[in-house]
Amino acid sequence: MPANTVNPDLQREREKATFKTQEFTYWWVGGKNKYEAKKKLEKMFLDDPELQDDLPISYMSPKELYEHSVRKAVIIANKLRELRAEGEDDVDTYTALFGGALGSALIKEGNPMMLHFVMFVPTIMGQGTTEQQIEWLSKAWDCNILGTYAQTELGHGTFLRGLETRADYDASTQEFVINTPTISAYKWWPGGMGHTSNYAIVVAQLYTKGEFRGLAPFIVQLRDLETHMPMPGIDVGDIGPKIGMKSVNNGYLGLKNVRVPLNNMLMKNQQVLPDGTYVAPKNSVLTYGTMMFVRCALIRDLSQTLAKASTIAMRYSAVRRQSPIDPNEPEPQIIEHTTQQLKVFPQIAKAIVFKITGECIWNMFNNVTGELEQGNMDRLPEMHALSCCLKAITSADSAAAVEVCRLSCGGHGYMDCSNFPTIYGMTTAVCTYEGENTVMLLQTSRYLVKVYAQALNGETLVPTVHYIQDYVKNKQFGKFDCSLEQIVRAFQFVAANKVRIAYERMEKHRKQGREPETAANLVGIELTQAADLHGRAFLAQSAYTELNQLIPKVSPELGAVFKTILELYLIDSCLIRIGDFLRFINLTDSDISKLELRLADCLKRLRPNAVALVDSFDVHDRVLDSALGAADGRVYERIFESAKKNPMNQEPVNKTFHQYLKPFMRANL
Amino acid sequence: MPANTVNPDLQREREKATFKTQEFTYWWVGGKNKYEAKKKLEKMFLDDPELQDDLPISYMSPKELYEHSVRKAVIIANKLRELRAEGEDDVDTYTALFGGALGSALIKEGNPMMLHFVMFVPTIMGQGTTEQQIEWLSKAWDCNILGTYAQTELGHGTFLRGLETRADYDASTQEFVINTPTISAYKWWPGGMGHTSNYAIVVAQLYTKGEFRGLAPFIVQLRDLETHMPMPGIDVGDIGPKIGMKSVNNGYLGLKNVRVPLNNMLMKNQQVLPDGTYVAPKNSVLTYGTMMFVRCALIRDLSQTLAKASTIAMRYSAVRRQSPIDPNEPEPQIIEHTTQQLKVFPQIAKAIVFKITGECIWNMFNNVTGELEQGNMDRLPEMHALSCCLKAITSADSAAAVEVCRLSCGGHGYMDCSNFPTIYGMTTAVCTYEGENTVMLLQTSRYLVKVYAQALNGETLVPTVHYIQDYVKNKQFGKFDCSLEQIVRAFQFVAANKVRIAYERMEKHRKQGREPETAANLVGIELTQAADLHGRAFLAQSAYTELNQLIPKVSPELGAVFKTILELYLIDSCLIRIGDFLRFINLTDSDISKLELRLADCLKRLRPNAVALVDSFDVHDRVLDSALGAADGRVYERIFESAKKNPMNQEPVNKTFHQYLKPFMRANL
């Protein structure tokens, strides 16, 4: 197929669509203005000739990739400087470049300067005093220093109290002496710390006047500003290759009697006075804010990831033809196979539902933050519980969805040129960072058993757990009529039952004399299941509520598509865990058959609009970066062009033939 | 922790074990003799100083990795030559080096000569006439030529009839003219084809006397024996980077009027006479044999993969300490967390069950092959159906299990030095190669609906589907008593129900006038579910039968461990798809609670033996190749040593500081 033409199968799919992609796209990106800003930013960065890759990065060694990425990171940061000088660097710009799709198109395995912008600067803003902000922020914004955030250690991640790095205050010199007492105390993972940053915020266990005070953040200089050599007492380097994030330059850091001045401890929340007197933070909940913020943002990012993965799988499925259905017809587009539809369509639906839920919780987060600033912390535990389980569910589901999409592309999905390997690497990482998923679910469940006890006591519960109160009042579900509304209510009913089981089994252990923590560990499986269902009930409910509010506001054609998406998402989610439904609700075999046939019907209804839907996600070809998923559908040509770029193919004969193979093949002649 | 010591937590675990690891190991590897042969082979290859890697391969570029791997492949092949000269190259040696664990320790991303030994030579043996074998085999065995097997194309994989490469017989010169008519007809994926092989067996659509004759295999010379330059008309190269198998040198191949002599078509099954007369194969089912052979072998390999992954996760879980359970105690080994046990233990059980099922089906395969050679093809369809669904289930489950193990190791599992990324890459590939999993399930289901109709007609069914006959006779399950025997029977009962649903829905579509193929596509989801349950019922049943036969033959201590393994596997498998059970069998909420509590009890019982169990898998440290999983448990030290080898860390300052970072950081000063 010649360049500059579109695959005719794909073209035909686009002509079949019953709705206007532009209407969907405007909604998806947040309106016409945001759409235009997105296009402008894409043009500015993606069309820059300096930011093109001649050679696919998968042909590079890790070291070459790092060097390549620093070069590009500096070009990007310079462009950001220009935007900033013109006052045009709004939040959306940073989000797009460091959390979002655009950034992944520019440096696909992660920007080594990312943590400077998303952690170093924000932490100084959030935890520094006004004087400290004056001292550090302009240098940091101007990138005269480049920082990172060093918290996780080789031996401790999610459990922060276990961190071993230690800062002892020396009142005689008004300095902190920071040390890495053991190998497991080495800071491990901070992005950019290997060879890029010259500063870090180091989180350490604080001791003053010989007493332990808890964790505190310190600004530590890692490298000389002139020579970039590690400072005395600093052992710093790159931790080595990983599944993804290959150019983030994740680093290790050991500190040996590194002295930093008193004023380098960020003191907005807690203080050390010159004589070593420790002033404890007034409110320990304030730090919840950043974590919740990041987790809420992750859900929105994951929706973009699903949009990307499902776009690739969907377009490939419309171009690839294989395995006859009707033996008298030519091989069909593989999307005609029902089993293929069941692989791809639910992932498209999930992208939309995660976006909706992400915005929903984002708005809740903003309300709670607003209330927090007024000193009202009532909704904080609820919000924390919800953000934890949703982070766990959406990241696990997204990683699984990426693999379903990849496997739906057969062998070609396995090639780096599909871009699935990178997408998976970036996505599965979310299951672990910002709070490991199982720990997240356990945090949520702790809240749920607490509110269950409150409900038993007749207390009134806050909105997102109100269903538990309803359940405690009336433990009967009644007749299941297979309506979408009932499926949402059934999710809540099942979640409430799972909370009850966890609560009751914990209580039983308590009555046998076990400590609450031991009891909680013994019912760990039940607790994670309760938290999982709580999150899924929220997803079902927010999808139902938000889409039903949205549908009357859009064209009937788009409304019909949203209706199918909602139905597909809810029925698919329900059938996947039908065991939970059957256990607690009186569903008959005929109810299940009905749901299965409705699922098949959803797939059929979505079929004509499937390509148009992924087109509407408006994922730029450079963001997709996939031979399988480009908008023109020139799948085989692009795979072939990618292989032809292989440095190994630039020489007809590899040197190992003469070095090793020929002598070996001749030896027995 | 100093070198040459064992982590004390791991040591304590070993002392706790209630059974003798050696007894298990002998059983696992197939007896004392096999154990000693294994050790000898490991010593011969793994202790060879020429076969050590100074630099972890993940630091190399793909081209460097290829060159590194060819060098090692030649050393390995030379050692094989020595063994062969002494008559010591038995089947186990080839299996270990090219299908098994040992091979993955030597060239962890795949041997570029593998297809020569596992496909090129066997295909000549299986499909060549005696004369052809005489002509080609000694050259091939001596490695004077290196071959590969070129079947899959860019546009077609599993559906072989769709292949486009074309061979036209020219009687005037007694040659075949082979062509790649389109870009999608390029051969794609054959291992070693990029730059290693100089010969290939090319599968092409045969035309003689202007008529189409079906697929045939041709021996084609790809490269000049002296110069290794591609032969005229040959366009050959490496397809580029992939998730795994990074050093297999998967290649592409285009042919333009490439002429090969008449005698280069492998003619054991079908012949072309010099004048172009075509003699069709007598029996098309013979080719099933190889495919079944490979699929049965894969199941055994996957059991080894699970042994490897679960060993890493288990040892790490015994060394890593984090997150207190009892707030008054130090942080526990993470394996104390019930949620962690549920991640790791079932994967250990799966490794054992897959081994047992793999051997079970291997024996069946040998029986069927024996019967085939007697001209009896009765059990062929049954065996084909079983090997297809088991290949799909065990590969999908193994890939998922590897990821569960990896994620159970938190962030450290994400690093290449854990070896999980490579293990996953190698494992997930099995979901696609040797028959894509969904296609495999559909093949099985085609058989199942056929035998269901036979059962309805009162015909007697063969052993592995006998349960369908029982079901048709009596559709009541009766009371479920939660015994293991009942769980096995319940799996069969559920499978029979799923087959019935697929059959009935297909029949409904047929009665509405649809063609069988169209009807099958419309119930594709139901068909794959039926095949999935059929395979799972076989796994449950073979595990139950074989382990119950084994237990009286081993020591009571080991017998107790096997009992727990069986119980854990069955209850876990049952709870994961409890929805299917609840749908068709009258299980109460209290039955489910009972199963859940028994699962928790299994975890508790397995706990003291968990490290000893993975020790018993006897996976060599070089095979594990994991900082997290080595037998000495020096986890943090090994991670650290691996990072220190990073070529980036050999220079304190990367050149990009002076090139890019410093000018950028200074620009705004």
Side-chain angles (χ1 to χ4, degrees):
Chain A
M1 211 171 75
N4 300 321
T5 58
V6 171
N7 176 289
D9 281 329
L10 216 45
Q11 192 53 47
R12 209 170 306 118
E13 293 292 331
R14 284 168 182 150
E15 285 156 11
K16 266 197 317 210
T18 62
F19 73 102
K20 296 256 184 308
T21 54
Q22 188 164 71
E23 186 184 3
F24 184 108
T25 303
Y26 281 172
W27 168 73
W28 179 254
V29 301
K32 190 160 183 270
N33 289 345
K34 293 235 179 191
Y35 175 78
E36 276 160 10
K38 174 177 182 269
K39 289 285 152 192
K40 195 178 152 193
L41 211 57
E42 284 177 355
K43 197 172 157 48
M44 175 174 175
F45 283 91
L46 296 178
D47 292 355
D48 186 332
E50 280 203 291
L51 287 170
Q52 314 300 319
D53 289 341
D54 294 330
L55 183 70
I57 61 159
S58 52
Y59 292 118
M60 300 175 187
S61 73
K63 186 160 182 270
E64 288 164 349
L65 176 60
Y66 171 71
E67 291 161 359
H68 171 85
S69 303
V70 169
R71 187 184 73 79
K72 290 178 83 173
V74 166
I75 297 171
I76 293 164
N78 264 320
K79 289 175 95 87
L80 260 176
R81 254 185 199 159
E82 287 167 32
L83 284 173
R84 204 173 151 239
E86 294 159 22
E88 289 201 20
D89 61 330
D90 60 2
V91 168
D92 288 347
T93 308
Y94 287 95
T95 307
L97 283 172
F98 296 110
L102 181 57
S104 76
L106 294 168
I107 306 188
K108 62 186 279 192
E109 289 285 354
N111 190 322
M113 290 192 196
M114 181 167 69
L115 254 66
H116 176 77
F117 292 103
V118 306
M119 285 300 292
F120 185 71
V121 172
T123 304
I124 296 174
M125 286 168 75
Q127 299 192 41
T129 62
T130 310
E131 297 73 38
Q132 288 176 319
Q133 296 193 18
I134 291 170
E135 181 179 355
W136 295 103
L137 275 183
S138 80
K139 278 189 269 192
W141 269 121
D142 285 347
C143 297
N144 305 135
I145 60 174
L146 280 176
T148 182
Y149 183 83
Q151 177 176 292
T152 298
E153 295 172 359
L154 194 44
H156 282 87
T158 303
F159 182 67
L160 295 184
R161 273 179 292 150
L163 294 176
E164 297 175 272
T165 303
R166 180 179 169 122
D168 288 273
Y169 183 63
D170 178 353
S172 72
T173 60
Q174 299 196 5
E175 288 170 322
F176 295 99
V177 188
I178 309 184
N179 273 294
T180 302
T182 63
I183 191 170
S184 56
Y186 260 76
K187 293 295 176 188
W188 208 266
W189 285 110
M193 194 166 71
H195 294 82
T196 316
S197 309
N198 50 18
Y199 271 86
I201 289 163
V202 173
V203 177
Q205 304 288 7
L206 171 65
Y207 289 80
T208 69
K209 299 189 169 178
E211 269 183 60
F212 173 59
R213 312 293 185 174
L215 291 171
F218 302 87
I219 298 182
V220 178
Q221 184 176 350
L222 305 182
R223 290 173 176 273
D224 183 88
L225 299 183
E226 275 299 320
T227 64
H228 213 54
M229 284 295 286
M231 300 297 284
I234 296 286
D235 180 20
V236 68
D238 182 288
I239 64 166
K242 298 139 296 182
I243 298 180
M245 315 222 145
K246 294 174 202 276
S247 52
V248 170
N249 191 218
N250 300 97
Y252 62 78
L253 170 66
L255 304 108
K256 194 169 176 185
N257 292 324
V258 171
R259 290 184 163 258
V260 301
L262 173 61
N263 196 38
N264 277 28
M265 177 176 140
L266 293 175
M267 299 221 204
K268 185 174 169 188
N269 301 324
Q270 54 186 342
Q271 289 89 40
V272 173
L273 305 184
D275 69 347
T277 303
Y278 175 73
V279 185
K282 288 207 186 83
N283 200 333
S284 65
V285 296
L286 283 171
T287 50
Y288 275 95
T290 320
M291 292 192 297
M292 285 201 303
F293 168 83
V294 175
R295 284 172 201 149
C296 294
L298 283 178
I299 300 169
R300 301 200 302 182
D301 293 349
L302 288 166
S303 146
Q304 298 293 329
T305 302
L306 286 182
K308 193 150 95 169
S310 61
T311 298
I312 299 171
M314 186 55 231
R315 287 184 181 153
Y316 179 77
S317 301
V319 170
R320 176 81 163 180
R321 288 178 167 272
Q322 194 163 262
S323 299
I325 294 169
D326 183 336
N328 305 313
E329 294 285 325
E331 291 176 89
Q333 295 161 286
I334 56 173
I335 197 62
E336 295 299 341
H337 297 283
T338 313
T339 47
Q340 185 76 356
Q341 293 174 11
L342 186 65
K343 289 177 191 173
V344 182
F345 294 173
Q347 318 318 327
I348 298 175
K350 241 171 260 168
I352 296 169
V353 168
F354 285 6
K355 175 208 156 61
I356 289 166
T357 307
E359 286 190 359
C360 210
I361 196 163
W362 188 257
N363 293 336
M364 280 175 71
F365 171 75
N366 282 327
N367 289 340
V368 171
T369 312
E371 289 171 13
L372 264 183
E373 279 160 15
Q374 314 284 319
N376 178 353
M377 287 175 286
D378 290 355
R379 295 200 68 184
L380 195 66
E382 174 195 10
M383 189 65 207
H384 173 68
L386 197 55
S387 70
C388 285
C389 68
L390 286 178
K391 183 268 179 190
I393 293 166
T394 54
S395 60
D397 281 10
S398 297
V402 170
E403 285 299 80
V404 169
C405 286
R406 173 178 71 76
L407 287 162
S408 81
C409 298
H412 297 339
Y414 194 73
M415 289 192 283
D416 282 4
C417 71
S418 74
N419 203 17
F420 281 119
T422 298
I423 298 173
Y424 182 64
M426 301 300 266
T427 311
T428 187
V430 188
C431 297
T432 307
Y433 66 56
E434 300 299 337
E436 193 276 330
N437 278 358
T438 304
V439 177
M440 290 294 94
L441 292 176
L442 289 171
Q443 298 235 349
T444 302
S445 67
R446 199 171 304 169
Y447 173 76
L448 294 174
V449 291
K450 199 186 286 172
V451 300
Y452 191 81
Q454 291 171 349
L456 289 180
N457 280 337
E459 294 174 39
T460 304
L461 301 185
V462 290
T464 58
V465 287
H466 205 277
Y467 69 88
I468 293 178
Q469 188 177 329
D470 295 342
Y471 169 77
V472 167
K473 281 188 192 146
N474 176 12
K475 289 191 178 157
Q476 301 303 314
F477 185 83
K479 171 130 186 59
F480 184 79
D481 65 9
C482 289
S483 69
L484 299 188
E485 195 194 341
Q486 282 258 33
I487 292 177
V488 173
R489 204 164 70 76
F491 260 107
Q492 295 177 335
F493 188 80
V494 168
N497 269 287
K498 290 270 179 181
V499 177
R500 171 185 56 78
I501 289 175
Y503 174 84
E504 288 174 354
R505 293 193 186 161
M506 250 183 94
E507 281 300 294
K508 202 173 161 195
H509 287 297
R510 293 294 312 274
K511 281 182 190 136
Q512 291 167 355
R514 294 197 175 89
E515 292 298 309
E517 294 84 357
T518 310
N521 184 40
L522 288 169
V523 299
I525 298 166
E526 291 87 339
L527 286 168
T528 52
Q529 287 179 355
D532 181 69
L533 259 301
H534 173 64
R536 295 195 185 277
F538 184 80
L539 278 160
Q541 192 248 311
S542 66
Y544 181 81
T545 309
E546 300 292 322
L547 278 170
N548 277 322
Q549 279 174 15
L550 180 64
I551 287 168
K553 294 183 198 154
V554 298
S555 70
E557 294 78 18
L558 183 56
V561 172
F562 280 139
K563 223 167 143 261
T564 306
I565 289 288
L566 176 63
E567 194 171 346
L568 172 61
Y569 174 77
L570 288 176
I571 295 179
D572 181 50
S573 304
C574 167
L575 282 172
I576 286 173
R577 47 195 66 74
I578 194 71
D580 289 329
F581 283 69
L582 280 163
R583 181 172 181 184
F584 302 114
I585 298 168
N586 196 12
L587 259 86
T588 63
D589 181 51
S590 117
D591 290 331
I592 301 172
S593 291
K594 210 186 284 177
L595 289 171
E596 287 177 341
L597 297 174
R598 268 175 76 192
L599 180 70
D601 186 58
C602 285
L603 299 176
K604 197 173 148 196
R605 268 154 47 209
L606 203 60
R607 170 72 189 86
N609 284 318
V611 165
L613 263 172
V614 299
D615 284 348
S616 309
F617 288 147
D618 192 46
V619 189
H620 193 287
D621 265 357
R622 282 279 303 281
V623 174
L624 290 173
D625 196 25
S626 170
L628 276 54
D632 62 12
R634 294 176 63 252
V635 169
Y636 299 128
E637 293 81 357
R638 284 174 185 270
I639 294 175
F640 196 70
E641 286 155 15
S642 166
K644 284 284 178 187
K645 284 184 187 160
N646 190 336
M648 280 180 64
N649 297 337
Q650 309 316 310
E651 314 159 323
V653 177
N654 185 276
K655 64 181 181 188
T656 52
F657 172 71
H658 299 288
Q659 279 179 297
Y660 307 115
L661 286 176
K662 194 172 176 182
F664 164 69
M665 291 164 79
R666 292 290 160 120
N668 262 17
L669 277 184
Chain B
M1 209 171 75
N4 301 321
T5 58
V6 170
N7 177 290
D9 282 329
L10 215 44
Q11 193 52 46
R12 208 170 307 119
E13 294 291 332
R14 285 169 182 149
E15 286 157 11
K16 266 196 317 208
T18 62
F19 73 104
K20 297 257 185 309
T21 54
Q22 190 164 70
E23 186 185 4
F24 184 107
T25 303
Y26 282 171
W27 168 75
W28 179 253
V29 302
K32 188 159 183 269
N33 289 345
K34 293 236 179 192
Y35 174 77
E36 278 159 11
K38 174 178 182 264
K39 289 286 151 192
K40 195 178 151 194
L41 211 58
E42 283 176 355
K43 198 173 153 49
M44 174 174 175
F45 283 91
L46 296 178
D47 291 356
D48 186 332
E50 279 202 291
L51 287 170
Q52 314 300 318
D53 289 341
D54 296 329
L55 183 70
I57 60 160
S58 52
Y59 291 118
M60 300 175 186
S61 73
K63 186 161 182 270
E64 288 163 348
L65 176 61
Y66 171 70
E67 290 161 359
H68 171 85
S69 304
V70 169
R71 187 184 73 78
K72 291 179 83 174
V74 165
I75 297 170
I76 293 165
N78 264 321
K79 290 175 95 84
L80 260 177
R81 256 187 197 158
E82 288 168 31
L83 284 173
R84 206 174 148 236
E86 295 159 22
E88 289 201 23
D89 61 330
D90 61 0
V91 167
D92 287 348
T93 309
Y94 288 95
T95 307
L97 283 172
F98 296 110
L102 182 57
S104 76
L106 294 167
I107 307 188
K108 62 185 280 193
E109 289 285 352
N111 190 322
M113 290 190 195
M114 179 167 71
L115 254 67
H116 176 76
F117 293 102
V118 306
M119 286 299 292
F120 185 70
V121 172
T123 304
I124 295 174
M125 287 169 74
Q127 300 193 40
T129 61
T130 311
E131 297 74 39
Q132 288 176 321
Q133 295 191 18
I134 292 170
E135 181 178 354
W136 295 103
L137 275 184
S138 79
K139 278 190 271 193
W141 268 122
D142 285 347
C143 297
N144 305 135
I145 60 174
L146 279 176
T148 182
Y149 182 83
Q151 177 174 294
T152 298
E153 296 173 358
L154 193 45
H156 283 88
T158 304
F159 182 67
L160 296 184
R161 274 178 291 150
L163 294 177
E164 297 176 89
T165 302
R166 181 181 169 124
D168 288 273
Y169 183 64
D170 178 353
S172 71
T173 60
Q174 298 194 6
E175 290 171 320
F176 296 100
V177 189
I178 309 184
N179 272 294
T180 301
T182 62
I183 191 170
S184 57
Y186 259 75
K187 293 294 175 189
W188 208 266
W189 286 109
M193 194 166 70
H195 294 82
T196 315
S197 308
N198 50 18
Y199 270 85
I201 288 163
V202 173
V203 178
Q205 303 287 8
L206 170 66
Y207 289 78
T208 68
K209 297 189 170 176
E211 269 183 61
F212 173 59
R213 313 292 186 173
L215 290 172
F218 301 87
I219 298 183
V220 178
Q221 184 176 351
L222 305 182
R223 290 173 176 273
D224 183 87
L225 299 183
E226 276 298 320
T227 64
H228 213 54
M229 283 294 286
M231 300 296 283
I234 296 285
D235 181 21
V236 69
D238 183 287
I239 65 166
K242 298 139 295 183
I243 297 181
M245 316 224 144
K246 295 175 202 277
S247 54
V248 170
N249 190 221
N250 299 97
Y252 61 77
L253 171 65
L255 304 109
K256 194 170 177 184
N257 292 323
V258 171
R259 290 185 162 257
V260 301
L262 172 60
N263 196 37
N264 278 29
M265 178 175 138
L266 293 176
M267 298 222 203
K268 184 174 171 188
N269 300 324
Q270 55 186 340
Q271 290 87 41
V272 172
L273 305 184
D275 69 346
T277 303
Y278 176 73
V279 185
K282 287 204 187 86
N283 201 334
S284 66
V285 295
L286 284 171
T287 49
Y288 274 96
T290 321
M291 291 192 297
M292 284 200 304
F293 169 82
V294 175
R295 283 173 202 148
C296 294
L298 284 178
I299 299 169
R300 300 199 303 180
D301 293 349
L302 288 166
S303 145
Q304 297 293 331
T305 301
L306 285 183
K308 193 150 97 169
S310 61
T311 299
I312 300 171
M314 186 55 232
R315 288 185 181 152
Y316 178 77
S317 302
V319 170
R320 175 81 164 181
R321 289 180 166 271
Q322 196 164 256
S323 300
I325 294 170
D326 183 336
N328 305 313
E329 294 285 323
E331 291 175 88
Q333 294 162 288
I334 57 173
I335 199 60
E336 296 298 342
H337 297 283
T338 313
T339 47
Q340 184 76 358
Q341 294 175 9
L342 186 65
K343 288 177 192 175
V344 182
F345 294 173
Q347 319 318 326
I348 299 175
K350 242 171 260 169
I352 297 170
V353 168
F354 286 6
K355 175 209 157 62
I356 290 166
T357 307
E359 286 190 359
C360 209
I361 196 163
W362 188 257
N363 294 336
M364 281 176 69
F365 171 75
N366 282 327
N367 289 340
V368 171
T369 312
E371 290 171 14
L372 262 184
E373 279 159 15
Q374 312 286 319
N376 178 353
M377 286 176 285
D378 289 357
R379 293 199 69 185
L380 195 66
E382 175 196 9
M383 189 66 207
H384 173 69
L386 197 56
S387 70
C388 286
C389 69
L390 286 178
K391 182 268 177 189
I393 292 167
T394 54
S395 59
D397 280 10
S398 298
V402 171
E403 285 299 79
V404 169
C405 287
R406 174 178 70 77
L407 287 162
S408 82
C409 299
H412 297 337
Y414 193 74
M415 288 191 285
D416 283 4
C417 70
S418 73
N419 202 18
F420 281 119
T422 297
I423 298 173
Y424 182 63
M426 301 301 266
T427 311
T428 187
V430 188
C431 297
T432 307
Y433 67 55
E434 299 301 334
E436 192 278 330
N437 277 356
T438 303
V439 178
M440 289 295 95
L441 292 176
L442 289 172
Q443 298 233 352
T444 302
S445 67
R446 200 171 304 169
Y447 173 75
L448 294 173
V449 291
K450 201 187 284 173
V451 300
Y452 190 82
Q454 292 171 350
L456 288 179
N457 281 337
E459 294 175 40
T460 303
L461 301 186
V462 290
T464 57
V465 286
H466 204 278
Y467 69 87
I468 293 178
Q469 190 177 326
D470 295 341
Y471 169 76
V472 166
K473 281 187 193 147
N474 176 11
K475 292 192 176 155
Q476 300 304 315
F477 186 83
K479 174 132 182 56
F480 184 80
D481 67 6
C482 288
S483 70
L484 298 188
E485 194 194 342
Q486 282 259 33
I487 292 177
V488 172
R489 205 165 69 77
F491 260 108
Q492 295 177 334
F493 189 79
V494 168
N497 269 287
K498 290 271 180 180
V499 176
R500 172 185 55 79
I501 289 176
Y503 174 85
E504 288 174 354
R505 291 192 187 162
M506 249 182 96
E507 281 300 294
K508 201 172 161 195
H509 287 299
R510 292 295 311 277
K511 282 187 187 130
Q512 292 167 356
R514 294 197 175 88
E515 291 297 311
E517 294 84 357
T518 310
N521 183 40
L522 288 169
V523 298
I525 298 167
E526 291 87 340
L527 286 169
T528 52
Q529 287 179 355
D532 181 69
L533 260 301
H534 173 64
R536 295 194 183 279
F538 183 81
L539 279 160
Q541 193 248 309
S542 64
Y544 180 81
T545 309
E546 300 292 324
L547 278 170
N548 277 322
Q549 281 174 15
L550 181 64
I551 288 167
K553 295 181 199 156
V554 300
S555 69
E557 294 78 17
L558 183 55
V561 172
F562 280 139
K563 223 170 141 260
T564 305
I565 289 288
L566 176 64
E567 193 171 346
L568 173 60
Y569 174 76
L570 288 176
I571 294 179
D572 181 49
S573 304
C574 167
L575 282 172
I576 286 172
R577 48 196 66 75
I578 194 69
D580 289 329
F581 284 68
L582 280 164
R583 181 172 179 184
F584 303 113
I585 298 169
N586 196 12
L587 260 87
T588 63
D589 180 52
S590 117
D591 290 330
I592 300 173
S593 290
K594 210 186 284 176
L595 290 170
E596 286 176 342
L597 297 174
R598 269 176 74 192
L599 179 71
D601 186 57
C602 286
L603 298 176
K604 198 174 148 197
R605 267 154 47 210
L606 202 61
R607 170 71 190 85
N609 284 317
V611 164
L613 263 172
V614 300
D615 283 349
S616 310
F617 289 146
D618 192 45
V619 189
H620 194 288
D621 265 358
R622 284 278 302 282
V623 174
L624 290 173
D625 195 26
S626 170
L628 275 52
D632 62 12
R634 295 175 63 250
V635 170
Y636 299 128
E637 292 80 357
R638 285 175 184 269
I639 295 176
F640 196 69
E641 286 155 16
S642 167
K644 284 285 178 185
K645 285 185 185 159
N646 190 336
M648 279 179 66
N649 297 337
Q650 309 317 311
E651 314 159 321
V653 177
N654 185 276
K655 65 180 180 188
T656 51
F657 172 71
H658 299 288
Q659 278 179 298
Y660 307 116
L661 285 175
K662 193 171 175 183
F664 164 70
M665 290 163 81
R666 292 291 160 117
N668 263 18
L669 277 183

